[in-house]
Amino acid sequence: MADINALASQFVNFYYETFDSNRSNLQGLYRDNSMLTFEGAPVQGAAAITEKLVSLPFQRVQHKITTIDVQPSGPNNSLIVTVSGLLVVDDSQNPLMFFQTFQLISENNSYYVLNDIFRLNYG
């Protein structure tokens, strides 16, 4: 099995760089059976997830990753990846803390996101 830490890091870097530059380009990471729970609201399917992400109420965003943790999940080299960090939206001086969990499913020498859970951390 490949180094799961390197795989998780590569996925996280790609995901957030794409999110920060053009959220609509994330659609290829999801499938029709994929589910996103964003701040407690569930959305299913690649098109619906992309629509949700594109419709978020900010123009610019920058993710600053603090931690990445990964564990193998299931028999087919699937992964659970957790990410914590800071969000800077529309050049705000007050970054928001966030936590996100992905379940990545191995498919044709690549991975897709089956489950995606996102929460802002208020404190």
Side-chain angles (χ1 to χ4, degrees), residues 54-105:
V54 169
S55 71
L56 293 173
F58 47 80
Q59 297 301 310
R60 290 178 310 283
V61 63
Q62 181 183 14
H63 290 81
K64 297 181 179 185
I65 305 308
T66 305
T67 65
I68 301 171
D69 293 299
V70 60
Q71 290 183 353
S73 171
N76 297 322
N77 296 328
S78 299
L79 303 173
I80 299 288
V81 180
T82 62
V83 181
S84 66
L86 300 172
L87 284 175
V88 178
V89 293
D90 293 332
D91 299 322
S92 170
Q93 297 300 309
N94 300 310
L96 304 166
M97 294 186 302
F98 77 94
F99 189 82
Q100 193 160 9
T101 302
F102 300 95
Q103 182 177 20
L104 305 179
I105 304 299

Side-chain angles (χ1 to χ4, degrees), residues 14-120:
F14 176 80
Y15 182 89
Y16 292 112
E17 286 173 9
T18 304
F19 192 108
D20 294 354
S21 62
N22 187 350
R23 289 172 259 172
S24 64
N25 287 340
L26 292 172
Q27 186 163 341
L29 293 178
Y30 298 94
R31 302 292 180 268
D32 288 340
N33 64 333
S34 297
M35 180 167 273
L36 165 68
T37 301
F38 190 89
E39 288 291 294
V43 180
Q44 186 164 11
I49 290 169
T50 304
E51 182 179 327
K52 172 66 178 175
L53 296 176
V54 169
S55 71
L56 293 173
F58 47 80
Q59 297 301 310
R60 290 178 310 283
V61 63
Q62 181 183 14
H63 290 81
K64 297 181 179 185
I65 305 308
T66 305
T67 65
I68 301 171
D69 293 299
V70 60
Q71 290 183 353
S73 171
N76 297 322
N77 296 328
S78 299
L79 303 173
I80 299 288
V81 180
T82 62
V83 181
S84 66
L86 300 172
L87 284 175
V88 178
V89 293
D90 293 332
D91 299 322
S92 170
Q93 297 300 309
N94 300 310
L96 304 166
M97 294 186 302
F98 77 94
F99 189 82
Q100 193 160 9
T101 302
F102 300 95
Q103 182 177 20
L104 305 179
I105 304 299
S106 179
E107 175 184 74
N108 301 324
N109 296 320
S110 188
Y111 287 87
Y112 74 91
V113 179
L114 177 63
N115 299 99
D116 179 352
I117 302 169
F118 177 90
R119 278 283 182 183
L120 291 172

